[in-house]
Amino acid sequence: MNIGKMDKRVTLLKPVRTPDGQGGRKKDFEPVATVWAEFRKPKLVTAEMTGAVISDMTQEISIRYRTDVKRGWRALYGDRVFDIIHPPYDYNRENTILVCREVVR
């Protein structure tokens, strides 16, 4: 792990269910922690499915080792929001890798 490459501040957001006032629940996100992160080179996969070209881009974000981050959480960097789409994995308890997909609004 190269600490010098962790030069971005990312806020980790945990999903919470809150009442919507009509008997149901809506999913909101609350901040858990702000951490230093390294954005690795994005990966792009292109495939053809039923005659149409489909592409999917994932972003790996490396943070210091954490055990509480789960799939379904979000990472917020500035005005960019990333869904954590894969259970985080770690290398020798040094850092945690978050596999994310950017939320397009």
Side-chain angles (χ1 to χ4, degrees):
M1 172 172 60
N2 186 346
I3 297 297
K5 291 184 178 181
M6 292 187 175
D7 58 353
K8 313 267 189 303
R9 293 294 278 174
V10 172
T11 302
L12 299 175
L13 305 170
K14 175 174 90 170
V16 292
R17 301 273 181 196
T18 56
D20 65 1
Q22 299 177 357
R25 293 183 176 265
K26 64 179 181 174
K27 182 162 82 169
D28 286 328
F29 290 88
E30 69 179 20
V32 175
T34 301
V35 297
W36 288 103
E38 170 193 356
F39 279 66
R40 297 184 174 181
K41 187 174 179 181
K43 292 184 172 81
L44 179 66
V45 176
T46 304
E48 187 173 333
M49 191 174 243
T50 62
V53 176
I54 305 222
S55 63
D56 185 33
M57 187 167 76
T58 58
Q59 175 72 56
E60 287 187 355
I61 301 173
S62 175
I63 62 173
R64 286 184 184 239
Y65 179 70
R66 291 183 68 101
T67 59
D68 59 342
V69 182
K70 308 269 187 261
R71 189 175 93 207
W73 284 34
R74 284 187 170 176
L76 177 65
Y77 174 63
D79 60 349
R80 297 172 68 187
V81 179
F82 297 89
D83 277 333
I84 299 174
I85 59 172
H86 191 275
Y89 56 95
D90 61 82
Y91 292 111
N92 300 325
R93 296 181 180 252
E94 286 184 2
N95 58 340
T96 299
I97 307 297
L98 310 174
V99 180
C100 304
R101 181 178 296 125
E102 189 165 3
V103 176
V104 179
R105 298 183 217 194

